[in-house]
Amino acid sequence: MKRVFLNECKMNIRTFLIWSLVVGGLGFFCITLYESMQGDMENMADAFSKMGAFSDAFGMSTLSIATIEGFFATEVGTVHGLGSAMFAAILAIGILSKEEEGHSGEFLFSLPLSRKKVLAAKGLCVFAALLGFTLVCTALYIAGFAFLGEELPVKEFALFMSGQFLMNVEIAAVCFAISALSGKNRMGLGIGIALIFYLYDIIGRVVPDLKDYIFVGPFSYANASEIFSGAEIRTAAVVIGIAVALLAAVSAFVCYERRDLAA
Amino acid sequence: MGYAIEIEKLTKNYGKARGVEDVSLKVAEGDIFGFIGPNGAGKSTTIRSMLGFLKFDQGKITILGMDSVKDHEKILAEVGYMPSEAWFYNSMKVSEVIAYAAAVRRKDCRKEAEMLCERLKLDTNKRIKELSLGNRKKVSIVCAMQHKPKLFIFDEPTSGLDPLIQKRFFELINEYVDQGTTCLLSTHVLSEVNKYCRNAAIMREGRLMMLDSHEIDDDTFLSYYEEDES
């Protein structure tokens, strides 16, 4: 199992580096832009905060984008949220199905390993990649704050990055379960799932009648604007997130154990 | 004499499509057993059921005295399998694939692998994506043989191999069989059955029939295929 895990990590290292450096680098770049845009932001912040549902959706009614916290939450929060969700989905949705699509499954599954062990090794690889992704981005965002000489709001920042990590794990678990069911790499579906979760959260924040239901989606407990404005994260949202991730992971094991593997 | 493979009343259906039906087969230890039949007859389904790739509907499969479902991992540790289409991870080098297979088996197979690569003229520095079908088959042979298994399961192993490598491949099989290995050889090549196999069975339309002799003439051999088309 250890060898499969290491081999899987090795095969995914390029994807991991590209995504973590691109998303983290974009976040770093956004942070460093703050100083040069600060003057203009002060004029724009007031206007942005009075755009009704749009301001609510992107958190600009509660946070001023003229502050570094507000700027980080609205700009980097969106970039990191979308980027990390897509990385999690793309990585997880292909990790099992690629064996059947690429016909390497007959080689892998002829080795003395149970399907459970293969699944566990691949699941651990996804988890490790998401953890590594979060750590790389965290380091780059901290570097951005240090570059500007701004104080990092440690508590909110830690909550945001932890929430994002859990959100990534939840999305990855859902895609992992789909990968266990499908003999083909459904990358498009993975990206679609990440975007649907994101849109669900945005629509829920724009449409007043849906506001009470956004806690079901994974983006709800990792919303940067809410976290940086000090709003309390609903425990139910986190519990649902963990439950969905566990249920999806268990489903992946049960389905993969029972189904025929394509040649 | 014990049996390396014992299949009792194996049935596997793919929804409404036919897989195999009521297949029973015994392969004695030390045998080179020819498994012939037209495309889609159920040879690969039988083999893939033996290896646990497919979940069969009915029947019982015993490999090397072990239950194919309960002792799945233990069986795979003692089996060398070569699929009909040899696919690996494109980005890996040949040497990495061979070392990976040995590492998962927790065996130091370097000496055996080196001997096999030399005899099969396999360049281990190339990447899988650079290899032809024949060369990928050679990698598959090394992965199936390097751990000196008790049972070989080969599914159309010689397609894509040049005549010299085919000859060396069968020399290797005979050498391992002389040391106690058993070989199940699924093939469409009559000469392979006649020359190398000691017993044979034919699979047609999902059913298995043992042959009285492995020495079959061309007309009889082709009749198995023609009748299937009618």
Side-chain angles (χ1 to χ4, degrees):
Chain A
M1 189 176 129
K2 185 180 148 198
R3 291 300 308 189
V4 178
F5 169 74
L6 293 174
N7 192 54
E8 205 58 48
C9 289
K10 197 177 160 190
M11 285 198 290
N12 284 295
I13 191 83
R14 193 181 293 176
T15 311
F16 162 73
L17 285 174
I18 290 170
W19 276 91
S20 53
L21 291 176
V22 167
V23 174
L26 265 172
F28 175 83
F29 183 65
C30 278
I31 297 168
T32 57
L33 278 181
Y34 171 70
E35 209 164 56
S36 60
M37 294 172 75
Q38 198 175 13
D40 302 326
M41 286 292 182
E42 278 167 10
N43 301 325
M44 288 158 64
D46 194 42
F48 277 150
S49 66
K50 291 173 182 164
M51 292 169 74
F54 179 81
S55 305
D56 290 342
F58 290 95
M60 288 182 289
S61 56
T62 50
L63 273 173
S64 167
I65 57 167
T67 64
I68 183 71
E69 291 89 352
F71 185 76
F72 179 84
T74 50
E75 303 299 321
V76 183
T78 306
V79 169
H80 184 88
L82 269 174
S84 65
M86 283 201 276
F87 170 62
I90 288 170
L91 182 69
I93 209 152
I95 198 130
L96 290 168
S97 52
K98 71 178 178 188
E99 299 290 352
E100 288 171 88
E101 191 176 74
H103 307 287
S104 50
E106 293 226 346
F107 166 65
L108 179 63
F109 289 102
S110 69
L111 298 173
L113 291 163
S114 66
R115 290 190 193 185
K116 276 185 193 135
K117 284 182 184 170
V118 172
L119 237 78
K122 284 174 177 271
L124 273 176
C125 170
V126 172
F127 187 83
L130 294 179
L131 188 64
F133 177 92
T134 306
L135 292 175
V136 170
C137 290
T138 301
L140 284 165
Y141 303 155
I142 290 172
F145 275 87
F147 180 79
L148 290 181
E150 293 278 351
E151 197 181 333
L152 182 80
V154 178
K155 189 187 157 198
E156 289 81 3
F157 182 73
L159 261 177
F160 169 66
M161 294 310 287
S162 317
Q164 289 285 324
F165 176 64
L166 177 59
M167 177 193 82
N168 296 158
V169 170
E170 186 183 346
I171 292 172
V174 170
C175 292
F176 190 68
I178 293 170
S179 192
L181 280 170
S182 173
K184 286 184 178 176
N185 190 352
R186 313 266 181 201
M187 195 200 280
L189 179 64
I191 295 171
I193 286 169
L195 291 176
I196 284 169
F197 280 141
Y198 178 72
L199 280 175
Y200 176 77
D201 192 68
I202 292 288
I203 292 167
R205 287 171 199 281
V206 172
V207 181
D209 289 346
L210 295 176
K211 234 168 207 169
D212 290 339
Y213 304 102
I214 56 171
F215 76 98
V216 180
F219 278 80
S220 64
Y221 53 78
N223 186 281
S225 307
E226 280 188 0
I227 291 169
F228 279 88
S229 62
E232 207 169 303
I233 296 170
R234 284 180 70 171
T235 312
V238 177
V239 170
I240 288 174
I242 294 170
V244 168
L246 286 175
L247 193 70
V250 170
S251 305
F253 275 85
V254 172
C255 295
Y256 209 62
E257 190 67 26
R258 289 180 181 179
R259 78 178 188 86
D260 291 341
L261 296 177
Chain B
M1 183 185 283
Y3 292 102
I5 301 170
E6 289 175 88
I7 301 176
E8 289 172 43
K9 299 184 173 182
L10 174 71
T11 298
K12 167 69 190 170
N13 293 311
Y14 299 99
K16 285 180 183 173
R18 174 185 50 75
V20 293
E21 203 176 322
D22 207 24
V23 166
S24 294
L25 171 72
K26 283 185 178 180
V27 176
E29 283 174 6
D31 197 358
I32 301 178
F33 191 93
F35 199 34
I36 56 177
N39 293 325
K43 301 189 300 294
S44 293
T45 297
T46 306
I47 287 174
R48 289 167 59 75
S49 298
M50 287 163 61
L51 293 165
F53 299 160
L54 302 178
K55 304 288 172 185
F56 49 89
D57 304 309
Q58 282 173 43
K60 185 174 167 34
I61 302 175
T62 308
I63 310 274
L64 302 165
M66 295 177 273
D67 184 273
S68 72
V69 179
K70 285 183 201 158
D71 303 311
H72 177 63
E73 269 185 83
K74 283 183 197 165
I75 288 171
L76 291 179
E78 302 292 349
V79 170
Y81 171 57
M82 189 179 168
S84 56
E85 286 182 43
W87 291 102
F88 304 94
Y89 304 110
N90 280 335
S91 59
M92 286 172 84
K93 282 185 175 178
V94 170
S95 56
E96 290 172 336
V97 170
I98 293 168
Y100 176 56
V104 172
R105 293 182 181 281
R106 294 180 187 178
K107 282 188 174 176
D108 183 359
C109 308
R110 282 175 292 184
K111 207 174 159 188
E112 197 73 4
E114 199 180 317
M115 177 277 290
L116 289 165
C117 290
E118 199 180 304
R119 288 178 68 176
L120 296 169
K121 294 182 178 175
L122 178 61
D123 182 352
T124 56
N125 291 315
K126 283 194 171 174
R127 292 203 181 272
I128 295 295
K129 63 184 168 194
E130 297 169 347
L131 300 182
S132 62
L133 170 65
N135 280 316
R136 286 204 312 273
K137 287 263 182 177
K138 290 180 193 175
V139 181
S140 198
I141 294 169
V142 177
C143 289
M145 290 182 167
Q146 63 172 344
H147 57 290
K148 299 181 186 171
K150 289 181 181 166
L151 173 66
F152 289 137
I153 299 177
F154 295 135
D155 194 357
E156 297 175 31
T158 50
S159 59
L161 293 178
D162 67 50
L164 178 67
I165 300 300
Q166 285 186 27
K167 184 173 171 282
R168 289 194 180 167
F169 169 65
F170 283 107
E171 283 170 4
L172 284 166
I173 291 180
N174 280 322
E175 286 169 28
Y176 284 109
V177 168
D178 286 345
Q179 291 168 41
T181 304
T182 308
C183 178
L184 177 73
L185 177 72
S186 168
T187 181
H188 288 299
V189 185
L190 175 61
S191 60
E192 288 176 359
V193 180
N194 282 338
K195 201 168 173 184
Y196 302 107
C197 294
R198 298 168 190 176
N199 290 291
I202 180 158
M203 195 104 200
R204 289 177 60 237
E205 296 181 340
R207 290 180 178 274
L208 188 95
M209 186 176 75
M210 285 297 294
L211 297 176
D212 296 333
S213 166
H214 68 283
E215 287 172 1
I216 315 160
D217 59 67
D218 281 352
D219 291 339
T220 310
F221 185 71
L222 287 173
S223 71
Y224 297 139
Y225 289 73
E226 283 165 1
E227 283 172 29
D228 191 66
E229 284 170 5
S230 60

